[in-house]
Amino acid sequence: MRELIAAAVVGDDVYEDDPTVKALENEVGSLLNMESALYFPTGTMSNLAAVFSWCDRRGAEMIVGNRSHLFMDEQGGAAQYRGVSAMPQTFGNGT
């Protein structure tokens, strides 16, 4: 596995020129019947991107379960990075 990693063709994904990441995004996109997918290296990044896609301005509010992972475990990243407040609700299903 280390030999494969060392031999992989890489680039800078910030400039969208990493062929390995692009191949992964295209492969996952085809599996999901989509044009492409977006690779996030961490769950926290993907959670923040999801919040920011809905809460598109500072001062926005998101409704979350009072025991949800986003509310309990994400360390307030939405508030720190975008100024999004969480409004916890009790839904009765543990979220």
Coordinates of all heavy atoms in Angstrom, one line a residue:
M1 N 0.8 -1.2 0.0 CA 0.0 0.0 0.0 C 0.9 1.3 0.0 O 0.5 2.2 -0.7 CB -0.9 0.0 1.2 CG -1.9 1.1 1.3 SD -3.1 0.8 2.6 CE -3.4 2.4 3.1
R2 N 1.9 1.2 0.8 CA 2.8 2.4 0.8 C 3.5 2.7 -0.6 O 3.7 3.8 -0.9 CB 3.9 2.2 1.9 CG 3.4 2.3 3.3 CD 4.4 2.2 4.3 NE 3.9 2.2 5.6 CZ 4.5 2.2 6.7 NH1 5.9 2.2 6.7 NH2 3.9 2.3 7.9
E3 N 3.8 1.6 -1.3 CA 4.3 1.8 -2.6 C 3.3 2.4 -3.6 O 3.7 3.3 -4.4 CB 4.8 0.4 -3.2 CG 6.0 -0.2 -2.5 CD 6.2 -1.6 -3.0 OE1 5.6 -2.1 -3.9 OE2 7.1 -2.3 -2.3
L4 N 2.0 2.0 -3.5 CA 1.0 2.6 -4.3 C 0.9 4.1 -3.9 O 0.7 5.0 -4.8 CB -0.3 1.9 -4.1 CG -0.4 0.5 -4.7 CD1 -1.7 -0.1 -4.3 CD2 -0.3 0.6 -6.2
I5 N 0.9 4.4 -2.6 CA 0.8 5.8 -2.2 C 1.9 6.6 -2.8 O 1.8 7.7 -3.3 CB 0.7 5.9 -0.7 CG1 -0.7 5.3 -0.2 CG2 0.8 7.4 -0.2 CD1 -0.8 5.1 1.3
A6 N 3.1 6.1 -2.6 CA 4.3 6.8 -3.1 C 4.3 7.0 -4.6 O 4.9 8.0 -5.1 CB 5.6 6.1 -2.6
A7 N 3.8 6.1 -5.3 CA 3.8 6.1 -6.8 C 2.6 6.9 -7.3 O 2.5 7.1 -8.5 CB 3.8 4.7 -7.3
A8 N 1.6 7.3 -6.5 CA 0.4 7.9 -7.0 C 0.7 9.3 -7.6 O 1.6 10.0 -7.1 CB -0.6 8.1 -5.8
V9 N 0.0 9.6 -8.7 CA 0.2 10.9 -9.3 C -0.7 11.9 -8.5 O -1.9 11.7 -8.3 CB -0.3 10.8 -10.8 CG1 -0.2 12.2 -11.4 CG2 0.4 9.8 -11.6
V10 N 0.0 12.9 -8.1 CA -0.7 13.9 -7.2 C -0.6 15.3 -7.8 O 0.3 15.6 -8.5 CB -0.2 13.8 -5.7 CG1 -0.6 12.5 -5.1 CG2 1.2 14.1 -5.6
G11 N -1.4 16.2 -7.3 CA -1.4 17.6 -7.6 C -2.0 18.4 -6.5 O -2.2 17.8 -5.4
D12 N -2.3 19.6 -6.7 CA -2.9 20.5 -5.7 C -4.4 20.5 -5.9 O -4.9 21.1 -6.9 CB -2.3 21.9 -5.8 CG -2.6 22.7 -4.6 OD1 -3.7 22.4 -4.0 OD2 -1.9 23.7 -4.3
D13 N -5.1 19.9 -5.0 CA -6.6 19.8 -5.2 C -7.2 21.2 -5.0 O -8.3 21.4 -5.5 CB -7.1 18.8 -4.1 CG -8.6 18.6 -4.4 OD1 -9.0 18.3 -5.6 OD2 -9.4 18.6 -3.5
V14 N -6.5 22.1 -4.3 CA -7.1 23.5 -4.2 C -7.3 24.1 -5.6 O -8.3 24.8 -5.9 CB -6.2 24.4 -3.4 CG1 -6.6 25.8 -3.4 CG2 -6.1 23.9 -1.9
Y15 N -6.4 23.8 -6.5 CA -6.5 24.3 -7.9 C -7.1 23.2 -8.8 O -7.0 23.4 -10.1 CB -5.1 24.6 -8.4 CG -4.5 25.8 -7.6 CD1 -3.4 25.5 -6.8 CD2 -5.0 27.1 -7.7 CE1 -2.8 26.6 -6.0 CE2 -4.4 28.1 -6.9 CZ -3.4 27.8 -6.1 OH -2.8 28.8 -5.4
E16 N -7.7 22.2 -8.3 CA -8.4 21.1 -9.0 C -7.5 20.4 -10.0 O -7.9 20.0 -11.1 CB -9.6 21.7 -9.7 CG -10.7 22.2 -8.7 CD -11.9 22.7 -9.4 OE1 -12.1 22.5 -10.6 OE2 -12.8 23.3 -8.7
D17 N -6.2 20.3 -9.6 CA -5.3 19.6 -10.5 C -4.7 18.3 -9.9 O -3.6 17.9 -10.3 CB -4.2 20.5 -11.1 CG -3.2 20.9 -10.0 OD1 -3.4 20.6 -8.9 OD2 -2.2 21.6 -10.4
D18 N -5.4 17.7 -9.0 CA -5.0 16.4 -8.4 C -5.8 15.3 -9.1 O -7.0 15.1 -8.8 CB -5.2 16.4 -6.9 CG -4.6 15.1 -6.3 OD1 -4.7 14.0 -6.9 OD2 -4.1 15.2 -5.2
P19 N -5.2 14.6 -10.0 CA -5.9 13.6 -10.8 C -6.4 12.4 -9.9 O -7.5 11.8 -10.3 CB -4.9 13.0 -11.8 CG -3.5 13.4 -11.2 CD -3.7 14.6 -10.4
T20 N -5.8 12.1 -8.8 CA -6.3 11.0 -8.0 C -7.6 11.4 -7.3 O -8.5 10.7 -7.2 CB -5.2 10.7 -6.9 OG1 -4.0 10.4 -7.6 CG2 -5.6 9.5 -6.1
V21 N -7.6 12.6 -6.7 CA -8.9 13.1 -6.1 C -10.0 13.3 -7.1 O -11.1 12.9 -6.9 CB -8.6 14.4 -5.3 CG1 -9.9 15.1 -4.9 CG2 -7.7 14.2 -4.2
K22 N -9.6 13.8 -8.3 CA -10.7 14.0 -9.4 C -11.2 12.6 -9.8 O -12.4 12.4 -10.0 CB -10.1 14.7 -10.6 CG -9.9 16.2 -10.2 CD -9.6 17.0 -11.4 CE -10.9 17.5 -12.1 NZ -11.9 18.2 -11.3
A23 N -10.4 11.6 -9.9 CA -10.8 10.3 -10.3 C -11.7 9.7 -9.2 O -12.8 9.1 -9.5 CB -9.6 9.3 -10.5
L24 N -11.4 9.9 -7.9 CA -12.2 9.5 -6.8 C -13.6 10.2 -6.9 O -14.6 9.5 -6.7 CB -11.6 9.7 -5.5 CG -12.4 9.5 -4.2 CD1 -12.7 8.0 -4.1 CD2 -11.7 9.9 -3.0
E25 N -13.6 11.5 -7.0 CA -14.8 12.2 -7.1 C -15.7 11.8 -8.3 O -16.9 11.6 -8.1 CB -14.6 13.7 -7.2 CG -14.0 14.3 -5.9 CD -13.5 15.7 -6.0 OE1 -13.3 16.2 -7.2 OE2 -13.3 16.4 -5.0
N26 N -15.1 11.5 -9.4 CA -15.9 11.1 -10.6 C -16.4 9.7 -10.4 O -17.5 9.4 -10.8 CB -15.0 11.1 -11.8 CG -14.7 12.6 -12.3 OD1 -15.5 13.5 -12.0 ND2 -13.6 12.8 -12.9
E27 N -15.6 8.8 -9.8 CA -16.1 7.4 -9.5 C -17.2 7.4 -8.6 O -18.2 6.7 -8.8 CB -14.9 6.6 -9.0 CG -15.3 5.2 -8.6 CD -15.6 4.3 -9.8 OE1 -15.2 4.6 -10.9 OE2 -16.3 3.3 -9.6
V28 N -17.1 8.1 -7.5 CA -18.2 8.2 -6.5 C -19.5 8.8 -7.2 O -20.6 8.4 -7.0 CB -17.8 8.9 -5.2 CG1 -19.0 9.1 -4.3 CG2 -16.7 8.1 -4.5
G29 N -19.2 9.9 -7.9 CA -20.4 10.5 -8.6 C -21.1 9.6 -9.5 O -22.3 9.5 -9.6
S30 N -20.3 8.7 -10.3 CA -21.0 7.8 -11.2 C -21.7 6.7 -10.4 O -22.8 6.2 -10.8 CB -20.0 7.1 -12.1 OG -19.1 6.3 -11.4
L31 N -21.2 6.3 -9.2 CA -21.9 5.3 -8.4 C -23.3 5.9 -7.9 O -24.2 5.2 -7.7 CB -21.1 4.9 -7.2 CG -19.8 4.1 -7.5 CD1 -19.0 4.0 -6.2 CD2 -20.2 2.7 -8.0
L32 N -23.3 7.2 -7.7 CA -24.5 7.9 -7.2 C -25.4 8.5 -8.3 O -26.3 9.2 -8.0 CB -24.1 9.0 -6.2 CG -23.3 8.5 -4.9 CD1 -22.8 9.7 -4.1 CD2 -24.2 7.6 -4.1
N33 N -25.0 8.2 -9.5 CA -25.8 8.7 -10.7 C -25.7 10.3 -10.7 O -26.7 10.9 -11.1 CB -27.2 8.3 -10.6 CG -27.5 7.2 -11.7 OD1 -26.6 6.9 -12.4 ND2 -28.7 6.7 -11.6
M34 N -24.6 10.8 -10.3 CA -24.4 12.3 -10.3 C -23.2 12.6 -11.2 O -22.4 11.7 -11.5 CB -24.1 12.8 -8.9 CG -25.1 12.5 -7.9 SD -26.7 13.2 -8.2 CE -26.4 14.8 -7.7
E35 N -23.1 13.8 -11.6 CA -21.9 14.2 -12.5 C -20.6 14.0 -11.8 O -19.6 13.5 -12.4 CB -22.1 15.7 -12.9 CG -21.0 16.2 -13.8 CD -21.2 17.7 -14.1 OE1 -22.3 18.1 -14.1 OE2 -20.1 18.3 -14.4
S36 N -20.5 14.3 -10.5 CA -19.3 14.2 -9.8 C -19.7 14.3 -8.3 O -20.8 14.5 -7.9 CB -18.3 15.3 -10.1 OG -17.1 15.1 -9.5
A37 N -18.7 14.0 -7.4 CA -18.9 14.1 -6.0 C -17.9 15.1 -5.5 O -17.0 15.5 -6.2 CB -18.8 12.7 -5.3
L38 N -18.0 15.4 -4.2 CA -17.0 16.3 -3.6 C -16.4 15.6 -2.4 O -17.1 15.1 -1.6 CB -17.8 17.6 -3.1 CG -16.9 18.7 -2.5 CD1 -15.9 19.2 -3.6 CD2 -17.8 19.9 -2.1
Y39 N -15.1 15.5 -2.4 CA -14.3 14.8 -1.4 C -14.0 15.7 -0.2 O -13.5 16.8 -0.4 CB -13.0 14.3 -2.0 CG -12.1 13.7 -0.9 CD1 -12.4 12.5 -0.3 CD2 -10.9 14.3 -0.5 CE1 -11.6 11.9 0.7 CE2 -10.1 13.8 0.4 CZ -10.5 12.6 1.0 OH -9.7 12.1 2.0
F40 N -14.4 15.3 1.0 CA -14.1 16.0 2.2 C -13.2 15.0 3.0 O -13.6 13.9 3.3 CB -15.3 16.3 3.0 CG -16.1 17.4 2.4 CD1 -17.3 17.1 1.7 CD2 -15.8 18.7 2.6 CE1 -18.0 18.1 1.2 CE2 -16.6 19.7 2.1 CZ -17.7 19.4 1.3
P41 N -12.0 15.5 3.5 CA -11.1 14.6 4.2 C -11.7 14.3 5.6 O -11.2 13.3 6.3 CB -9.8 15.3 4.3 CG -10.0 16.6 3.8 CD -11.4 16.7 3.1
T42 N -12.6 15.1 6.2 CA -13.1 14.8 7.5 C -14.6 14.9 7.6 O -15.2 15.7 6.8 CB -12.5 15.7 8.6 OG1 -13.0 17.1 8.4 CG2 -11.0 15.8 8.5
G43 N -15.2 14.3 8.5 CA -16.6 14.4 8.7 C -17.0 15.8 9.2 O -18.1 16.4 8.8
T44 N -16.1 16.4 10.0 CA -16.4 17.8 10.4 C -16.5 18.8 9.2 O -17.4 19.6 9.2 CB -15.3 18.3 11.4 OG1 -15.3 17.4 12.6 CG2 -15.5 19.7 11.8
M45 N -15.6 18.6 8.3 CA -15.6 19.5 7.1 C -16.9 19.3 6.3 O -17.5 20.3 5.9 CB -14.5 19.1 6.1 CG -13.2 19.8 6.4 SD -12.0 19.3 5.1 CE -10.8 20.5 5.4
S46 N -17.4 18.0 6.2 CA -18.6 17.8 5.4 C -19.8 18.3 6.2 O -20.7 18.9 5.6 CB -18.8 16.3 5.1 OG -18.8 15.5 6.3
N47 N -19.8 18.2 7.5 CA -20.9 18.7 8.3 C -20.9 20.3 8.2 O -22.0 20.9 8.0 CB -20.8 18.3 9.8 CG -21.0 16.9 10.0 OD1 -21.7 16.2 9.2 ND2 -20.6 16.4 11.2
L48 N -19.8 20.9 8.3 CA -19.8 22.4 8.1 C -20.2 22.8 6.8 O -21.0 23.8 6.6 CB -18.4 22.9 8.5 CG -18.0 22.9 9.9 CD1 -16.5 23.3 10.1 CD2 -18.9 23.8 10.8
A49 N -19.8 22.1 5.7 CA -20.2 22.5 4.4 C -21.7 22.3 4.2 O -22.4 23.2 3.6 CB -19.5 21.6 3.3
A50 N -22.3 21.3 4.8 CA -23.8 21.1 4.8 C -24.5 22.3 5.5 O -25.4 22.8 5.0 CB -24.1 19.8 5.4
V51 N -24.0 22.6 6.7 CA -24.6 23.7 7.4 C -24.5 25.0 6.6 O -25.4 25.8 6.4 CB -24.0 23.9 8.8 CG1 -24.4 25.2 9.5 CG2 -24.3 22.7 9.7
F52 N -23.3 25.3 6.1 CA -23.1 26.5 5.3 C -23.9 26.6 4.0 O -24.2 27.7 3.5 CB -21.6 26.7 5.1 CG -20.7 26.9 6.3 CD1 -19.4 26.8 6.2 CD2 -21.3 27.0 7.6 CE1 -18.6 27.0 7.4 CE2 -20.5 27.2 8.7 CZ -19.2 27.1 8.6
S53 N -24.2 25.5 3.5 CA -25.0 25.5 2.2 C -26.4 25.9 2.5 O -27.1 26.5 1.7 CB -25.0 24.1 1.5 OG -25.7 23.2 2.3
W54 N -26.9 25.7 3.7 CA -28.3 26.1 4.1 C -28.3 27.4 4.9 O -29.2 28.2 4.7 CB -28.9 25.0 5.0 CG -29.3 23.8 4.2 CD1 -28.6 22.6 4.2 CD2 -30.4 23.6 3.4 NE1 -29.2 21.7 3.3 CE2 -30.3 22.3 2.9 CE3 -31.5 24.4 3.1 CZ2 -31.3 21.8 2.0 CZ3 -32.4 23.9 2.2 CH2 -32.3 22.6 1.7
C55 N -27.3 27.6 5.7 CA -27.2 28.9 6.5 C -26.2 29.7 5.8 O -25.0 29.7 6.2 CB -26.8 28.6 8.0 SG -28.0 27.5 8.8
D56 N -26.6 30.6 4.9 CA -25.6 31.2 4.0 C -25.2 32.6 4.5 O -24.6 33.3 3.7 CB -26.2 31.3 2.6 CG -27.5 32.0 2.5 OD1 -28.1 32.4 3.6 OD2 -28.0 32.3 1.4
R57 N -25.5 33.0 5.7 CA -25.1 34.3 6.2 C -24.8 34.3 7.7 O -25.4 33.5 8.4 CB -26.1 35.4 5.8 CG -27.5 35.1 6.4 CD -28.5 36.2 6.0 NE -29.8 35.7 6.1 CZ -30.4 35.4 7.3 NH1 -29.7 35.6 8.4 NH2 -31.6 35.0 7.4
R58 N -24.0 35.2 8.1 CA -23.8 35.3 9.6 C -25.1 35.7 10.3 O -25.9 36.4 9.7 CB -22.7 36.4 9.9 CG -21.4 36.1 9.3 CD -20.3 37.0 9.8 NE -20.0 36.8 11.2 CZ -19.3 35.7 11.7 NH1 -18.9 34.8 10.9 NH2 -19.1 35.6 13.0
G59 N -25.3 35.1 11.4 CA -26.5 35.3 12.2 C -27.6 34.4 11.8 O -28.7 34.5 12.5
A60 N -27.4 33.5 10.9 CA -28.5 32.5 10.6 C -28.6 31.5 11.7 O -27.7 31.4 12.6 CB -28.1 31.8 9.3
E61 N -29.7 30.8 11.8 CA -29.9 29.9 12.8 C -30.3 28.5 12.2 O -31.0 28.4 11.3 CB -31.1 30.4 13.7 CG -31.4 29.6 14.9 CD -32.5 30.2 15.7 OE1 -33.7 30.0 15.4 OE2 -32.2 30.9 16.7
M62 N -29.8 27.5 12.9 CA -30.1 26.1 12.4 C -30.9 25.4 13.6 O -30.5 25.6 14.7 CB -28.9 25.3 12.0 CG -27.9 25.1 13.1 SD -26.5 24.1 12.5 CE -25.4 24.3 13.9
I63 N -31.9 24.7 13.2 CA -32.6 23.9 14.2 C -32.0 22.5 14.2 O -31.8 21.8 13.2 CB -34.1 23.8 13.8 CG1 -34.7 25.2 13.8 CG2 -34.9 22.9 14.8 CD1 -36.1 25.3 13.3
V64 N -31.6 22.1 15.4 CA -30.9 20.8 15.6 C -31.6 20.0 16.7 O -32.2 20.6 17.6 CB -29.4 20.9 15.8 CG1 -28.7 21.5 14.7 CG2 -29.2 21.7 17.1
G65 N -31.4 18.7 16.7 CA -31.9 17.9 17.9 C -31.0 18.2 19.1 O -29.8 18.4 18.9
N66 N -31.6 18.2 20.3 CA -30.8 18.5 21.4 C -29.8 17.5 21.8 O -28.9 17.7 22.6 CB -31.7 18.8 22.6 CG -32.5 17.6 23.1 OD1 -32.7 16.7 22.3 ND2 -32.9 17.5 24.3
R67 N -29.9 16.3 21.2 CA -28.9 15.2 21.4 C -28.2 14.9 20.1 O -27.5 13.8 20.0 CB -29.5 14.0 22.0 CG -30.1 14.4 23.4 CD -30.7 13.2 24.1 NE -29.7 12.1 24.3 CZ -30.0 10.9 24.4 NH1 -31.3 10.4 24.4 NH2 -29.1 10.0 24.6
S68 N -28.3 15.7 19.1 CA -27.7 15.4 17.8 C -26.1 15.5 17.8 O -25.6 16.3 18.6 CB -28.2 16.3 16.7 OG -27.8 17.7 16.9
H69 N -25.5 14.8 17.0 CA -24.0 14.9 16.9 C -23.6 16.3 16.6 O -22.6 16.8 17.2 CB -23.5 13.9 15.8 CG -22.1 14.1 15.5 ND1 -21.1 13.5 16.3 CD2 -21.4 14.7 14.5 CE1 -19.9 13.9 15.8 NE2 -20.1 14.6 14.7
L70 N -24.2 17.0 15.7 CA -23.8 18.3 15.3 C -23.9 19.3 16.5 O -23.0 20.1 16.7 CB -24.8 18.8 14.2 CG -24.4 20.1 13.5 CD1 -23.0 20.0 12.8 CD2 -25.4 20.5 12.5
F71 N -24.9 19.1 17.3 CA -25.0 20.0 18.5 C -24.1 19.5 19.7 O -23.5 20.4 20.3 CB -26.5 20.0 19.0 CG -26.7 20.9 20.2 CD1 -26.6 22.2 20.1 CD2 -27.1 20.3 21.4 CE1 -26.8 23.1 21.2 CE2 -27.3 21.2 22.5 CZ -27.2 22.5 22.4
M72 N -24.0 18.3 19.9 CA -23.2 17.8 21.1 C -21.7 17.7 20.8 O -20.9 17.8 21.7 CB -23.7 16.4 21.5 CG -25.2 16.3 21.9 SD -25.5 17.2 23.4 CE -24.7 16.1 24.6
D73 N -21.3 17.3 19.6 CA -19.9 16.9 19.4 C -19.1 17.8 18.4 O -17.9 17.6 18.3 CB -19.8 15.5 18.9 CG -20.5 14.6 19.9 OD1 -20.2 14.6 21.1 OD2 -21.3 13.7 19.5
E74 N -19.7 18.7 17.7 CA -18.9 19.5 16.7 C -18.2 20.7 17.2 O -17.7 21.5 16.4 CB -19.8 19.8 15.5 CG -20.2 18.6 14.6 CD -19.0 18.0 13.9 OE1 -18.0 18.8 13.6 OE2 -19.0 16.8 13.5
Q75 N -18.2 20.9 18.5 CA -17.5 22.0 19.1 C -17.9 23.4 18.7 O -17.1 24.3 18.7 CB -16.0 21.8 18.9 CG -15.4 20.5 19.3 CD -15.5 20.3 20.8 OE1 -15.3 21.2 21.6 NE2 -16.0 19.1 21.2
G76 N -19.1 23.6 18.2 CA -19.6 24.9 17.8 C -18.9 25.5 16.6 O -18.8 26.7 16.4
G77 N -18.4 24.7 15.7 CA -17.7 25.1 14.5 C -18.6 26.0 13.6 O -18.1 27.0 13.1
A78 N -19.8 25.8 13.5 CA -20.7 26.6 12.7 C -20.8 28.0 13.2 O -20.8 29.0 12.5 CB -22.1 26.0 12.6
A79 N -20.8 28.2 14.6 CA -20.8 29.5 15.2 C -19.4 30.2 15.0 O -19.4 31.4 14.8 CB -21.2 29.4 16.7
Q80 N -18.4 29.4 15.2 CA -17.0 30.0 15.1 C -16.7 30.4 13.7 O -16.1 31.5 13.6 CB -16.0 28.9 15.6 CG -16.1 28.6 17.0 CD -15.2 27.4 17.4 OE1 -14.4 26.9 16.6 NE2 -15.3 27.0 18.7
Y81 N -17.0 29.6 12.7 CA -16.6 30.0 11.3 C -17.6 30.8 10.6 O -17.2 31.5 9.6 CB -16.3 28.7 10.6 CG -15.1 27.9 11.1 CD1 -15.3 26.7 11.7 CD2 -13.9 28.5 11.0 CE1 -14.2 26.0 12.2 CE2 -12.8 27.8 11.5 CZ -12.9 26.6 12.1 OH -11.8 25.9 12.6
R82 N -18.9 30.7 10.9 CA -19.9 31.4 10.1 C -20.9 32.2 10.9 O -21.7 32.9 10.3 CB -20.6 30.3 9.2 CG -21.7 30.8 8.3 CD -21.3 31.7 7.2 NE -20.4 31.1 6.2 CZ -20.8 30.5 5.1 NH1 -22.0 30.4 4.8 NH2 -19.8 30.1 4.3
G83 N -20.8 32.1 12.2 CA -21.7 32.9 13.0 C -23.1 32.3 13.0 O -24.1 33.0 13.2
V84 N -23.3 31.0 12.8 CA -24.6 30.3 12.8 C -24.9 29.8 14.2 O -24.1 29.1 14.8 CB -24.5 29.1 11.7 CG1 -25.8 28.3 11.8 CG2 -24.3 29.6 10.3
S85 N -26.0 30.2 14.7 CA -26.5 29.7 16.0 C -27.3 28.4 15.9 O -28.0 28.2 14.9 CB -27.3 30.8 16.6 OG -26.6 32.0 16.8
A86 N -27.1 27.6 16.9 CA -27.8 26.3 16.9 C -29.0 26.5 17.9 O -28.9 27.0 19.0 CB -27.0 25.2 17.4
M87 N -30.2 26.1 17.4 CA -31.4 26.2 18.3 C -31.8 24.7 18.5 O -32.5 24.1 17.7 CB -32.5 26.9 17.5 CG -33.8 26.9 18.3 SD -33.7 27.6 19.9 CE -33.6 29.3 19.6
P88 N -31.4 24.2 19.7 CA -31.7 22.8 19.9 C -33.2 22.5 20.3 O -33.8 23.3 20.9 CB -30.8 22.5 21.2 CG -30.6 23.8 21.8 CD -30.6 24.8 20.7
Q89 N -33.7 21.5 19.7 CA -35.1 21.1 19.9 C -35.1 19.6 20.4 O -34.3 18.8 20.0 CB -35.9 21.2 18.6 CG -35.9 22.6 18.0 CD -36.7 23.6 18.8 OE1 -37.8 23.3 19.3 NE2 -36.1 24.7 19.1
T90 N -36.2 19.2 21.1 CA -36.3 17.9 21.5 C -37.3 17.2 20.6 O -38.5 17.6 20.5 CB -36.9 17.8 23.0 OG1 -35.9 18.4 23.8 CG2 -37.0 16.3 23.4
F91 N -36.9 16.2 19.9 CA -37.7 15.5 18.9 C -38.2 14.2 19.3 O -39.0 13.6 18.7 CB -36.9 15.4 17.5 CG -36.6 16.7 16.9 CD1 -35.3 17.1 16.7 CD2 -37.6 17.5 16.4 CE1 -35.0 18.3 16.1 CE2 -37.3 18.7 15.8 CZ -36.0 19.1 15.7
G92 N -37.7 13.7 20.5 CA -38.2 12.4 21.0 C -37.6 11.2 20.3 O -37.9 10.0 20.7
N93 N -36.7 11.3 19.4 CA -36.1 10.2 18.7 C -34.6 10.1 19.0 O -33.9 9.4 18.3 CB -36.4 10.2 17.2 CG -35.8 11.4 16.5 OD1 -35.2 12.2 17.1 ND2 -36.0 11.5 15.2
G94 N -34.1 10.9 19.9 CA -32.7 10.8 20.3 C -31.8 11.7 19.5 O -30.6 11.8 19.7
T95 N -32.3 12.4 18.5 CA -31.5 13.3 17.7 C -31.5 14.7 18.3 O -32.4 15.2 18.9 CB -31.9 13.4 16.3 OG1 -33.2 13.9 16.2 CG2 -31.8 12.0 15.6

